[in-house]
Amino acid sequence: MPEPVPVSGPSGEPLAGVPIGHIEAVHGPVVVVVCEHLPPLRQALVARVDAETYWFEVHQHLDRHRVRAITLHRTAGLARAMPVYDTGAPVHVPVCPECLGRVLNIFGEPLDGGPPLEPIGFRNIRGEPLALAAAVAPTAVLATGIKVIDLLCPFVRGGKTGLFGGAGVGKTVLVMELMRAIVSLHRGVSVFSGVGERIREGHELWRELSVTGVMPKTLLVFGEMDESPGVRFRVGHAALTYAEYLRDTLRTEVLFLMDNVFRFVQAGSEISSLLGRMPAAVGYQPTLDTEVAEVEDRISSTQGGAITSVQAVYVPADDMTDPAVVAILGHLDTTVVLARGQAGKGIYPAVDPLASTSKMMDRHVLGDRHYAIAQGVREHLARYRELEDVIAMLGVAELSPRDRSIVLRARKLQRYLTQPFNVTAGHTGIAGVAVPLERTLEDCDAFLSGRHDETPEERCYMRGAMSDATP
């Protein structure tokens, strides 16, 4: 039996690496390792280059003595015949309560220039889902203070929400506002997973959260765009491991945010191609559904704490039937669709109220009043959308008195459902607001019953509650 060799872990902890073989070939981020004994899939292997540890993750067994592994670092410096060591476990991260307020990478190493974490333990990033008996089904609504979401597509406490939209429709801004809402309204914590983020985007997010005072209750975990596909593929798992740790130790509300899930799918597609697998529908990996499920099934709640997930999902060419989008949709409790048409009209947040849905939109969950008002708002907006072509050709004056009333109320409701955000106050000059659900219901009921028929449309735009609107 080979003698263990001391190897430093990603956070400086000593590991006993067992010699397992050597590098036979390096093809981009793929390393072929000749092994005396095959390590299990997803095992972490390491190599030493100039006192630096390079990490690999086993993804494929080629034969009885060779494996393909994906690098979690750059490959510069790797050479054939270089010895490889088996760590005896999958990739793991250091955990401690002091991880809040920090910016980390996939290994738990600091990216914010601060000192390394002083771990009280380590957790495998490939954690298993909770046992069925220990998990708690999501049954309650999580208020966000965002009018259009709380009214028409309420978030589920302990559930999964997807923010779907193309480029430039406001997904990241909405994610940042939700992080602030969880900290301020629910006294919870947030874990943000930046999958394939640009360095500029990550830096802007960090600075924005620091300025708004949210950062002390937030953990940011980044796998940047210039990293290996193995890092982008596993950074979501690493961030989710921290979310599970905070749920289990702080026993509080944890908001887990991932931006962007589509980049996670892309990283999996890259790895699949590098391993030589035959592509499936539209060129995606044949393991697409399994890879998405491995992340989604770990997002669950216990009696002590809840993980509520909000996931930004890029929609290629605004096509909601894309296989990656469909695979993600199957796991969600709430779907918030951000439409380019809404953004083009200056409606922010650019939520499409007719395409967005939630499993909480049920009379028995929301109560008769909330359900009736939400349905009334949807009916007015749906009728307005049906009549838009007629209005464009003939004008509002040609509509029947009933349709004219519906259109005028729908236009005011459309503008009322806009809202200034705290995270954009520095750019727009408009102070952000959070509106309690009860006041949103009161205002929408007043619109539907005609009590605001004489109110000018501009008074409804970019305001909080109508009682806060200025003449």
Side-chain angles (χ1 to χ4, degrees):
M1 184 73 180
E3 289 294 324
V5 176
V7 178
S8 296
S11 300
E13 77 281 8
L15 297 176
V18 177
I20 193 175
H22 64 272
I23 294 176
E24 181 184 62
V26 179
H27 303 289
V30 177
V31 175
V32 179
V33 180
V34 176
C35 308
E36 298 177 10
H37 307 284
L38 286 182
L41 296 177
R42 298 168 181 167
Q43 189 88 324
L45 309 180
V46 295
R48 301 284 291 168
V49 179
D50 298 331
E52 184 177 352
T53 303
Y54 280 54
W55 286 72
F56 318 123
E57 186 180 52
V58 178
H59 274 263
Q60 192 176 53
H61 291 163
L62 294 176
D63 53 39
R64 297 179 63 183
H65 294 287
R66 294 190 306 154
V67 299
R68 276 199 182 113
I70 300 295
T71 61
L72 302 179
H73 290 277
R74 67 186 188 280
T75 55
L78 295 180
R80 298 171 74 179
M82 184 175 288
V84 176
Y85 305 92
D86 185 358
T87 64
V91 178
H92 56 273
V93 292
V95 292
C96 62
E98 291 73 29
C99 63
L100 288 172
R102 303 300 303 273
V103 184
L104 307 175
N105 65 9
I106 186 177
F107 300 113
E109 299 170 329
L111 297 175
D112 53 8
L117 297 180
E118 297 181 4
I120 60 174
F122 295 87
R123 284 202 176 196
N124 170 16
I125 69 169
R126 295 283 310 153
E128 293 296 325
L130 280 177
L132 189 60
V136 176
T139 56
V141 171
L142 182 72
T144 64
I146 300 174
K147 293 180 289 187
V148 65
I149 289 177
D150 289 347
L151 175 68
L152 298 177
C153 45
F155 284 7
V156 183
R157 182 181 184 270
K160 310 177 186 74
T161 297
L163 306 180
F164 292 83
V169 294
K171 295 188 298 296
T172 302
V173 171
L174 189 53
V175 163
M176 292 167 62
E177 187 69 13
L178 290 169
M179 294 170 72
R180 188 183 186 282
I182 287 294
V183 172
S184 59
L185 298 179
H186 300 280
R187 301 294 186 264
V189 299
S190 299
V191 177
F192 178 87
S193 173
V195 182
E197 288 283 279
R198 301 173 183 86
I199 294 175
R200 170 187 59 79
E201 292 174 335
H203 185 265
E204 287 176 357
L205 176 63
W206 176 50
R207 297 294 299 175
E208 192 69 44
L209 295 178
S210 300
V211 169
T212 56
V214 178
M215 195 61 209
K217 290 291 185 180
T218 303
L219 167 64
L220 306 181
V221 184
F222 284 106
E224 296 163 4
M225 185 174 283
D226 61 341
E227 299 271 11
S228 158
V231 171
R232 288 181 273 119
F233 188 58
R234 290 299 184 219
V235 67
H237 292 274
L240 189 49
T241 301
Y242 279 108
E244 291 171 335
Y245 167 76
L246 294 171
R247 175 198 65 195
D248 298 339
T249 56
L250 300 183
R251 304 180 71 81
T252 185
E253 192 79 47
V254 179
L255 181 66
F256 173 69
L257 306 109
M258 184 181 290
D259 188 5
N260 188 298
V261 183
F262 184 76
R263 295 192 189 125
F264 161 75
V265 172
Q266 281 184 314
S269 181
E270 287 181 52
I271 291 174
S272 182
S273 298
L274 291 167
L275 298 178
R277 296 185 184 133
M278 183 70 69
V282 199
Y284 287 109
Q285 60 271 39
T287 53
L288 171 63
D289 289 332
T290 302
E291 291 169 1
V292 172
E294 285 178 345
V295 173
E296 301 290 355
D297 287 350
R298 290 176 61 188
I299 302 171
S300 52
S301 305
T302 64
Q303 293 288 352
I307 298 180
T308 302
S309 170
V310 177
Q311 306 163 26
V313 184
Y314 169 71
V315 180
D318 294 335
D319 179 14
M320 292 294 289
T321 64
D322 185 87
V325 175
V326 172
I328 297 164
L329 271 171
H331 295 272
L332 301 178
D333 301 300
T334 300
T335 302
V336 180
V337 178
L338 303 178
R340 199 172 303 281
Q342 294 286 90
K345 296 175 184 176
I347 305 298
Y348 291 103
V351 176
D352 186 335
L354 303 180
S356 302
T357 60
S358 172
K359 80 172 191 179
M360 283 294 172
M361 288 303 298
D362 185 282
R363 188 184 301 274
H364 301 288
V365 176
L366 299 179
D368 290 339
R369 180 167 180 261
H370 184 169
Y371 182 81
I373 292 173
Q375 290 300 101
V377 171
R378 284 184 188 275
E379 290 169 4
H380 276 62
L381 295 175
R383 184 59 178 161
Y384 175 40
R385 184 168 296 182
E386 291 174 1
L387 295 170
E388 279 184 323
D389 290 340
V390 176
I391 295 170
M393 291 186 292
L394 302 178
V396 177
E398 297 301 318
L399 299 177
S400 67
R402 172 177 166 74
D403 282 343
R404 192 182 309 126
S405 174
I406 289 175
V407 166
L408 294 177
R409 291 175 185 176
R411 286 175 59 87
K412 291 173 185 177
L413 281 167
Q414 189 181 59
R415 283 152 180 76
Y416 171 74
L417 293 177
T418 62
Q419 187 169 340
F421 286 164
N422 288 278
V423 296
T424 59
H427 305 285
T428 63
I430 306 174
V433 292
V435 183
L437 174 60
E438 185 56 38
R439 297 184 69 181
T440 300
L441 294 176
E442 291 173 1
D443 289 340
C444 290
D445 188 31
F447 280 111
L448 295 174
S449 61
R451 297 200 298 273
H452 284 300
D453 283 356
E454 302 303 320
T455 304
E457 289 182 3
E458 57 270 17
R459 279 194 58 196
C460 307
Y461 182 69
M462 280 296 169
R463 295 288 189 268
M466 287 304 292
S467 58
D468 300 332
T470 56

